[in-house]
Amino acid sequence: MLVMFALLCGALPAFATPQVFLVQNSGWMEPFYADPQSRFKPLVTELALAVAQPGDALVLAAFNQSLPGAPSPKALMSAKVGEGTRAQVTKALAGLDTARKPGGALADTDLGEAVSAAMTQALGGKDGIVWLVTNNRNSPNNDQATAQRNREFYELIHRGGAIRTALAFPLRMQVQGEHYRANGLMVYAFAIGAGGAGALERLLANGSIAKIITEPPARLKPLDRNTVRLVPRKVEDAPGVSFSMAPNGVLRADVASGATSPSARIGWNIENTMYPYTIASATLSARSKLGGEDRPVTLGGTRVTALAPGKPQPLASTLQ
């Protein structure tokens, strides 16, 4: 059923980003479906409508663990986003319930299988975004060692070259079913390829995701790029040079033609962008280029320690 998506991709405009929503419906998810007060399905609906843009290809699929006679993932809808998308998503989710094995037992869960199928079958190896809505209990073949299975799932994320960015949004949601109860779930966003990474960055920047999920995501990948951000907080101009802040955060220096030794003292805030991780320690260095010429930068300190998200630390510098 997911093959339908490949046909849609060929007709999409170049700027459109295919998006796949994988919704878990294994036995562990029973309270999310059974509780009459559950907001689970409305959450999936509103998130899909918030992030999928007009013209995007949208696939909605349920997943548990594939067995003979019970394939997984199973497509619920596949369409190009437009005016009728809300009704399509609502209708597709309305009939979704906890899955069972051919023998009648509640279905198990295989997160890795679902993500791999989304990349290879639904996206057909092309760029896009895969969303995974799960209670984060990975239990293929009813394996009770869910912590170990989850570690294996995270290893798959980090080893997979196609996954450029991986974010995890933890959500609180108390639900009670006949067999189980739960206090929350996890929404993963996997950016596939450069196109998917760029699209996910835009969704984060324009607030589309934050309209539905207000808590900041935990970054799972990459962990070696864009780890900190420098924000100017105080600039002391020197004779012959003036500074201004551009809307995108770039600090602009205007140097008078007659300035002989322009210099300035700049106070920064150094911010950790690696939520939820704290940077235990790091070494700092700086360089600048002014008018095509390398200029020395003197820092007030060359090390930072215990830099936590949301708790910026001051950094002094002198540009010469």
Side-chain angles (χ1 to χ4, degrees), residues 238-242 253-262 290:
V241 61
S242 61
D254 292 302
V255 181
S257 58
T260 55
S261 299
L290 191 61

Side-chain angles (χ1 to χ4, degrees), residues 130-144:
V130 175
W131 300 86
L132 184 76
V133 187
T134 170
N135 72 337
N136 215 35
R137 301 193 71 172
N138 196 18
S139 56
N141 301 317
N142 199 30
D143 188 345
Q144 298 302 302

